[in-house]
Amino acid sequence: MGKPGEFLKSGRKATDYRDVNDRTKDYKPVEILFSDADAVAQAARCMDCGTPFCHGCGCPLSNDIPELNDLVSKGRWKEALAILTNTSNFPELTARICPALCEASCVLGINDDPVTIRQVEIAIVEKAFELGILKAVRPDTRIDKSVAIIGSGPAGLVAADTLNRWGFNVTVYEKDKLLGGILRYGIPDFKLDKKVIDRRIEMLSHEGVVFEVGVTVGSDVSYNYIKDRFDAICLTGGAREPRDLKIPGRENAGIHFAMEYLTQQNRRNAGEPVRGEEISASGKNVVVIGGGDTGADCIGTAIRQGAKRVIQMEILPEPPLTRPDSTPWPAWPNILRTSSSHKEGGTRKWTINTKSFNAKDGKVISLIAVDLEWYKGSDGRMQFKEKPGTEQTIDADLVLLALGFVGPGKNKIIDDLGIAKDERGNIKVDSKGMTSVMGVFAAGDMARGQSLVVRAMSDARKASASIREYLLSQRL
Ligand SMILES: Cc1cc2nc3c(=O)[nH]c(=O)nc-3n(C[C@H](O)[C@H](O)[C@H](O)COP(=O)(O)OP(=O)(O)OC[C@H]3O[C@@H](n4cnc5c(N)ncnc54)[C@H](O)[C@@H]3O)c2cc1C
């Protein structure tokens, strides 16, 4: 371990952010990365517990966190990188945007503040880039088997990287012009600088991964075209079908899904043309319906666009500030999460439901909402009822629906292949990540449902191992 007993002497250093007044004027990253000294000091706090829950329970990639902390605390960056990249293909991406499930299960967190593991990981990988240790490496030998990966989000990129390193010939098909899935079009630039994705894509290209962009598999090229040319297929098309709010007035202009709105701003920042009707919060009363992370991303974007006022509404009650009994350590705690965007402005309303939208000349001008009361029903499940006399009209000339996603939605390749779906509408896969069609695998949100980048990556690593097993068994 780094420094025995250090956790008793030094505290957690939380992440710093750029000043609110400064950062809301641009879309540059808001987070300030740790200096090497900060990372070393924080890593030294690791207790090197006998049972590291951060590794086995928290991190979906099972990063060897105590070992990483030990090496960083001794300034052994190169060895730390080797250990980190054993389990994580793109730590520079996960460490920037992961909610840090590892920190929630850090043993130190039982009665103290956990180690800032996420920042230690960014420090390792950025140091490696700085020292030129992390660079493109082409596989020594090639295996005469090919894989088509359909979708270039985190799952697709990880599958491409993993299989390419093993020597398979990998082609990634992506319907957008730029690669990265939600990393590129969805997550705001102030949370993830797109240069971080570009740097990795460039490496993957040098390493031999072939990218076919602007190609929708299922319509631009058929499934038969892919099937004839590749020995295995991995579907990583995401789960982007948004949950709608089918209430009176929904048909009016000015009510949009969060992803339409966020993607437009990503495109503007990249200098790409914006598709469809321009959506802007400038000078508007913005209401974001949905209290999760996507909603928070909308808040930060609306503030940067110059919204007059932003309100975020959530149907559930406000979670407590500290870990409740319902989610004991080492589980991911159901606590109030205040993102960097929340600190930039806006008001959060909890336990409130939207009943209808009011409009003038076909454009939304306000919504009718009502406060709720949550209670345990006779079946033990939580239910809500409206609080009498709380009906309220909230001005809104831009409404953003951030209510989650209901699965992959319509995707011609799924229909063409006749792939079975599960009861939630996601692609059904077996324990090996294979779909109901032999040789066709699926990973990431498309199979799991909308989740986290780190989980999409972990699923893709498992599916890649199964694809390798499948392809090598064909050679026997
Ligand atoms: C706004 C928003 C913010 C988020 N923020 C975070 C965060 O901060 N941290 C975090 O951990 N998670 C976050 N998530 C969740 C995370 O982004 C997803 O879980 C993750 O991107 C899933 O990866 P994926 O590769 O499965 O799918 P996606 O990222 O959705 O990528 C799928 C790709 O497949 C392509 N595709 C689909 N069909 C075809 C086809 N037929 N032919 C060719 N290409 C196709 C799509 O264009 C897309 O590029 C966020 C989600 C959203 C919506």
Side-chain angles (χ1 to χ4, degrees), residues 93-94 96-99 149-157 172-176 178-188 191-192 212 214-221 235-240 258-259 262 266 293-295 297-298 405 408 410-414 443-457:
L93 294 170
T94 38
R96 276 185 168 82
I97 49 171
C98 192
I149 292 170
I150 300 165
S152 73
L157 293 178
V172 178
Y173 288 90
E174 170 54 55
K175 65 180 177 187
D176 274 317
L178 297 179
L179 300 153
I182 294 176
L183 297 172
R184 172 88 55 189
Y185 300 115
I187 298 180
K191 268 172 64 182
L192 178 64
E212 296 280 352
V215 180
T216 303
V217 175
S219 49
D220 294 332
V221 294
L235 303 175
T236 50
R240 306 272 195 95
M259 272 294 277
L262 293 171
N266 294 132
D293 291 343
T294 302
D297 292 345
C298 291
F405 299 82
K410 280 218 166 301
N411 206 320
K412 201 163 174 299
I413 188 163
I414 303 175
D445 284 0
M446 205 170 206
R448 175 189 279 278
Q450 184 74 222
S451 183
L452 290 175
V453 167
V454 69
R455 291 207 178 99
M457 291 187 171

Side-chain angles (χ1 to χ4, degrees), residues 239-247 250 255-260 262 287-296 298 312-316 352-355 357 367 399-407 450:
R240 306 272 195 95
E241 187 69 13
R243 182 171 287 114
D244 206 346
L245 186 60
K246 290 181 178 148
I247 56 173
R250 167 67 181 93
I255 305 169
H256 301 272
F257 290 117
M259 272 294 277
E260 292 173 52
L262 293 171
V287 175
V288 179
I289 303 181
D293 291 343
T294 302
C298 291
Q312 184 180 27
M313 302 194 349
E314 168 57 48
I315 198 165
L316 292 169
I352 187 167
N353 195 18
T354 310
K355 299 192 73 177
F357 297 108
L367 56 81
V399 176
L400 300 168
L401 303 178
L403 300 156
F405 299 82
V406 292
Q450 184 74 222

Side-chain angles (χ1 to χ4, degrees), residues 141-146 166-169 468 471-472 475:
T141 49
R142 282 280 170 202
I143 302 168
D144 62 342
K145 291 282 175 194
S146 58
W166 286 333
F168 296 101
N169 300 294
R468 173 169 70 168
L471 290 176
L472 295 184
R475 297 174 97 213

Side-chain angles (χ1 to χ4, degrees), residues 47 157 162 178 283 348:
M47 299 194 295
L157 293 178
T162 308
L178 297 179
R348 294 168 91 175

Side-chain angles (χ1 to χ4, degrees), residues 10-273:
S10 62
R12 172 180 167 95
K13 177 174 164 54
T15 295
D16 283 331
Y17 292 85
R18 291 167 57 210
D19 179 71
V20 168
N21 294 320
D22 173 40
R23 73 190 195 221
T24 48
K25 295 190 184 100
D26 60 46
Y27 289 87
K28 292 183 196 146
V30 294
E31 187 171 288
I32 299 171
L33 304 188
F34 271 17
S35 65
D36 290 355
D38 289 338
V40 168
Q42 198 53 215
R45 290 183 70 230
C46 177
M47 299 194 295
D48 192 19
C49 335
T51 307
F53 283 79
C54 52
H55 152 84
C57 167
C59 179
L61 291 165
S62 299
N63 286 347
D64 293 309
I65 294 162
E67 285 78 2
L68 294 174
N69 282 328
D70 181 43
L71 291 165
V72 169
S73 72
K74 294 170 178 150
R76 290 161 60 182
W77 299 98
K78 194 172 173 184
E79 291 152 88
L81 180 79
I83 290 188
L84 181 55
T85 49
N86 256 344
T87 51
S88 176
N89 295 63
F90 312 134
E92 74 278 19
L93 294 170
T94 38
R96 276 185 168 82
I97 49 171
C98 192
L101 311 178
C102 52
E103 292 179 18
S105 61
C106 171
V107 175
L108 192 48
I110 296 175
N111 58 1
D112 198 340
D113 292 324
V115 174
T116 321
I117 302 165
R118 194 177 63 80
Q119 282 277 9
V120 173
E121 289 187 4
I122 306 184
I124 296 169
V125 66
E126 287 307 325
K127 187 84 184 158
F129 276 116
E130 186 190 311
L131 297 175
I133 305 167
L134 195 49
K135 50 185 182 225
V137 181
R138 288 181 82 91
D140 293 335
T141 49
R142 282 280 170 202
I143 302 168
D144 62 342
K145 291 282 175 194
S146 58
V147 187
I149 292 170
I150 300 165
S152 73
L157 293 178
V158 162
D161 182 44
T162 308
L163 290 160
N164 181 61
R165 276 168 196 268
W166 286 333
F168 296 101
N169 300 294
V170 177
T171 302
V172 178
Y173 288 90
E174 170 54 55
K175 65 180 177 187
D176 274 317
K177 285 263 155 49
L178 297 179
L179 300 153
I182 294 176
L183 297 172
R184 172 88 55 189
Y185 300 115
I187 298 180
D189 297 29
F190 55 79
K191 268 172 64 182
L192 178 64
D193 188 340
K194 306 312 174 203
K195 285 192 207 118
V196 180
I197 312 173
D198 295 337
R199 177 174 64 182
R200 184 53 78 163
I201 303 276
E202 205 183 316
M203 277 177 75
L204 291 172
S205 300
H206 281 126
E207 287 167 343
V209 175
V210 175
F211 292 105
E212 296 280 352
V213 295
V215 180
T216 303
V217 175
S219 49
D220 294 332
V221 294
S222 67
Y223 162 61
N224 282 334
Y225 174 92
I226 300 283
K227 197 179 77 171
D228 289 349
R229 282 163 180 77
F230 294 92
D231 300 302
I233 299 174
C234 189
L235 303 175
T236 50
R240 306 272 195 95
E241 187 69 13
R243 182 171 287 114
D244 206 346
L245 186 60
K246 290 181 178 148
I247 56 173
R250 167 67 181 93
E251 69 285 0
N252 287 294
I255 305 169
H256 301 272
F257 290 117
M259 272 294 277
E260 292 173 52
Y261 174 68
L262 293 171
T263 300
Q264 281 200 357
Q265 191 54 50
N266 294 132
R267 289 190 192 283
R268 271 185 214 106
N269 294 344
E272 287 185 67

